Amino acid sequence: MRSCTPGGPIGGLSSSRPQQPAVVDTHFISSGSSELSPELEQRLRQLLDEGNKIKAIKELREAMHLSLKDAKDYVDAMDQR
């Protein structure tokens, strides 16, 4: 039976490839709300006004297929305006 040293790779496997940082598409964030439909922007504003920031992030992620970080950054920027 193979043993695994603490802090070592699981199952004795190792990866010789360095981990790549995630690629972030900032297109939606840098271009402002022009990428959103007026209905979606209105819905996100409504959710923010009601204090539902997490729900706004979730709806934006689903509608625009964004990562959690990108959606959060976008909603945070909307909340600051």
Side-chain angles (χ1 to χ4, degrees):
M1 177 177 228
R2 243 189 252 179
S3 67
C4 180
T5 60
I10 296 174
L13 300 176
S14 66
S15 174
S16 60
R17 256 183 14 199
Q19 203 170 24
Q20 296 287 329
V23 176
V24 176
D25 181 6
T26 57
H27 174 76
F28 295 109
I29 296 168
S30 63
S31 64
S33 62
S34 63
E35 294 293 325
L36 300 181
S37 70
E39 295 83 13
L40 179 57
E41 184 170 4
Q42 182 179 11
R43 173 70 177 146
L44 296 176
R45 286 256 168 241
Q46 177 187 3
L47 289 168
L48 288 172
D49 291 344
E50 294 170 355
N52 291 319
K53 189 180 226 179
I54 293 173
K55 190 164 185 174
I57 293 168
K58 182 178 178 179
E59 289 194 20
L60 179 61
R61 286 190 72 198
E62 290 172 359
M64 302 298 291
H65 307 286
L66 297 175
S67 70
L68 177 59
K69 182 185 182 328
D70 287 344
K72 182 185 180 304
D73 289 346
Y74 192 97
V75 170
D76 284 343
M78 280 185 79
D79 202 23
Q80 296 298 317
R81 291 187 245 157

